[in-house]
Amino acid sequence: PSVALRALLRLAPDDMRPGDLPRVISCTLKVLAWCADDDVGLTEDIKAWLSRLRLSTEADVQEQASFAQALLSSPEVNRVELRALFEEPLKPVDPRAQKRVPIPPGLN
């Protein structure tokens, strides 16, 4: 997985559609979770890559990059905890349940 991840880091963000970058960032975390723990340089390379993505003009990219960088910079998060974030699949929310959530004032 680390070879594939390093190849992903070499992709130029300008070569991807901005809408794809948040998913690429999320996938990066998922792949990193399954890489060997002894590849410390890989985590540092990802954090440097995320630092560049935080400067994106796209808000979604900035948000995902900032979240991922904070997660990787936390001393409490190691690869085991990172794996645990992705073990359970996210289940879709029933659209009827979403309609029951009141819209806060000021939002349209």
Side-chain angles (χ1 to χ4, degrees):
S2 61
V3 173
L5 196 49
R6 287 191 185 281
L8 183 65
L9 297 178
R10 285 192 297 272
L11 291 175
D14 294 338
D15 293 340
M16 292 182 252
R17 295 184 317 223
D20 291 340
L21 277 171
R23 286 190 294 277
V24 170
I25 294 167
S26 178
C27 289
T28 300
L29 289 177
K30 289 178 184 178
V31 174
L32 176 64
W34 298 103
C35 289
D37 288 336
D38 59 352
D39 196 348
V40 177
L42 181 58
T43 302
E44 294 306 314
D45 291 345
I46 292 170
K47 289 187 332 192
W49 178 72
L50 292 169
S51 289
R52 291 189 303 275
L53 291 179
R54 289 178 60 202
L55 303 175
S56 171
T57 57
E58 299 291 326
D60 290 347
V61 175
Q62 290 175 8
E63 179 182 31
Q64 285 291 326
S66 295
F67 170 75
Q69 192 172 42
L71 194 61
L72 294 179
S73 297
S74 172
E76 291 87 26
V77 177
N78 60 34
R79 302 237 175 119
V80 173
E81 278 109 14
L82 199 55
R83 271 183 222 127
L85 290 175
F86 303 111
E87 284 179 345
E88 293 293 323
L90 292 175
K91 296 181 178 137
V93 175
D94 186 336
R96 294 173 297 197
Q98 289 178 328
K99 290 178 184 174
R100 288 185 279 220
V101 176
I103 297 174
L107 289 180
N108 55 12

